[in-house]
């Protein structure tokens, strides 16, 4: 159990579950302050409303502090920034800053439409892995088509990562990984009977020059300012390119379309901003109703 040192009006205390939760939140980059006044020991943090939170070691204007009258994550983060609480913390854009910088859905679609069909389908494939869970928004996805990779590098929606050596090694058989391991003369290397993933991760970390011997590829992830638009851009690309099959009749129809009238076999897309964008760019396959075929 962590002991929180005394600071401001707060006595030294052992951190219980509530304090541990707030200390952990305080350490995250999304809780980064917009400014710190070290002389007066105060800070400013993005708020959930229009006004930022004004924070000192004694108080904060956030709802959590107002309700509990106990240190919130902003108070703890200020104490960390001032070196009073000796815990490591991550710096970066706060949640509020990221929200303000987000690329709109409309601008995201405009950027996607600048790409070739092949590049758009690769982005759709990436979004399949990233758009559902917030924690996966910047998940790395490998591209093996080097010509396509050159085009993807031009998109402001994408960030290129270093060569995905660990992923490439994980695709090798365990005997192949053990052969590589045997050729490495290090006392700290894993045993030959270690788990495959452990061997691959160790080799990737300790023998990075192996990237020169493996098939060329590129790894891309989405920039964080594309977080909010990801789900709807994925819907846009699915409706634009993909089809679904009715299991009962065998009819195929555009993905995401539905039957407004079950007595008439004509499919339409929902009336939302995704469909409006498809119509704008001339890709609304259900604009006048879609009659499916087997």
């Amino acid at each position: 159990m962590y002991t929180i040192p005394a600071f401001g009006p707060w006595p030294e205390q052992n951190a219980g579950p509530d304090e541990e939760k707030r200390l952990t939140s305080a350490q995250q980059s999304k809780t980064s302050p917009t400014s710190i006044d070290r002389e007066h020991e105060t800070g400013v943090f993005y708020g959930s409303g229009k006004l930022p939170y004004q924070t000192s070691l004694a108080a904060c204007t956030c709802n959590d502090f107002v309700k509990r009258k106990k240190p919130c994550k902003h108070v703890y983060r200020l104490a960390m920034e001032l070196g009073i609480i000796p815990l490591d913390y991550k710096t970066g854009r706060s949640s509020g800053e990221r929200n303000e910088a987000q690329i709109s859905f409309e601008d995201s679609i405009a950027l996607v439409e600048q790409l070739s069909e092949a590049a758009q389908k690769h982005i759709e494939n990436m979004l399949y892995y990233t758009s559902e869970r917030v924690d996966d928004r910047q998940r790395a996805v490998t591209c093996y088509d080097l010509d396509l990779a050159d085009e993807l590098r031009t998109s402001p929606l994408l960030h290129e990562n270093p060569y995905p050596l660990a992923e490439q090694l994980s695709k090798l058989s365990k005997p192949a990984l053990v052969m590589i391991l045997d050729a490495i003369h290090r006392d700290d290397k894993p045993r030959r009977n270690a788990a495959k993933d452990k061997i691959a991760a160790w080799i990737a970390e300790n023998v990075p020059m192996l990237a020169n011997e493996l098939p060329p590829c590129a790894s891309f992830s989405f920039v964080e300012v594309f977080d909010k638009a990801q789900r709807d851009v994925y819907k846009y690309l699915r409706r634009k390119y993909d089809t679904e099959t009715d299991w009962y009749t065998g009819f195929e129809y555009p993905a995401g379309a539905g039957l407004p009238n079950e007595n008439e076999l004509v499919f339409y897309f929902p009336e939302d901003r995704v469909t409006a964008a498809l119509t704008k760019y001339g890709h609304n396959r259900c604009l006048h109703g879609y009659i499916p075929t087997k």
Side-chain angles (χ1 to χ4, degrees), residues 256-278:
L259 290 170
N261 184 349
E262 294 184 1
N263 297 321
E264 186 178 359
L265 199 61
V266 181
F267 286 80
Y268 292 90
F269 286 133
E271 294 184 6
D272 56 19
R273 68 175 183 172
V274 177
T275 298
L278 287 166

Side-chain angles (χ1 to χ4, degrees), residues 120-250:
Q120 289 186 40
K121 288 184 174 180
H122 182 80
I123 284 181
E124 181 189 359
N125 179 61
M126 291 180 65
L127 288 167
Y128 172 81
Y129 296 104
T130 67
S131 62
E132 283 301 315
R133 296 181 67 253
V134 173
D135 291 344
D136 288 337
R137 290 291 193 260
Q138 283 90 52
R139 177 176 173 176
V141 179
T142 303
C143 175
Y144 294 95
D145 185 334
L146 297 185
D147 290 335
L148 188 58
D150 284 340
E151 181 180 6
L152 294 173
R153 290 185 180 101
T154 67
S155 176
L157 298 177
L158 298 172
H159 165 76
E160 185 171 8
N161 307 302
Y163 184 90
L165 180 56
E167 180 183 344
Q168 299 302 92
L169 288 171
S170 69
K171 294 177 181 178
L172 300 178
S173 66
K174 185 169 181 180
L177 286 174
V178 171
M179 287 181 60
I180 296 173
L181 193 66
D182 288 342
I184 302 171
H185 302 291
R186 289 271 297 270
D187 294 335
D188 61 337
K189 66 183 181 182
R191 294 180 180 274
R192 300 173 89 249
N193 63 351
K196 177 183 172 182
D197 289 346
K198 182 177 180 180
I199 294 175
W202 187 89
I203 294 174
E205 182 178 351
N206 292 277
V207 195
M209 65 284 297
L210 269 178
N212 298 324
E213 308 300 325
L214 294 173
C217 62
S219 174
F220 294 96
S221 54
F222 292 116
V223 295
E224 66 176 17
V225 292
F226 179 48
D227 280 2
K228 282 196 168 182
Q230 281 196 33
R231 292 189 68 177
D232 278 356
V233 172
Y234 180 51
K235 291 178 184 178
Y236 176 91
L237 291 170
R238 285 203 71 231
R239 293 182 194 178
K240 180 177 179 180
Y241 291 117
D242 296 350
T243 60
E244 295 176 349
T245 303
D246 183 274
W247 67 271
Y248 183 73
T249 63

Side-chain angles (χ1 to χ4, degrees), residues 243-246 249-255 267 290-294:
T243 60
E244 295 176 349
T245 303
D246 183 274
T249 63
F251 286 125
E252 289 189 348
Y253 54 91
F267 286 80
Y290 183 90
I291 301 176
T293 57
K294 286 189 178 181

Side-chain angles (χ1 to χ4, degrees), residues 25-33 45-46 73-74 77 90-98:
S25 294
Q27 292 176 279
Q28 306 308 308
S29 61
K30 63 183 179 182
T31 313
S32 297
F45 293 81
Y46 262 91
K73 65 181 180 180
H74 308 106
R77 179 55 179 261
K90 300 175 182 178
T91 59
R93 283 184 173 183
S94 68
S95 298
E97 289 176 299
R98 288 202 302 270

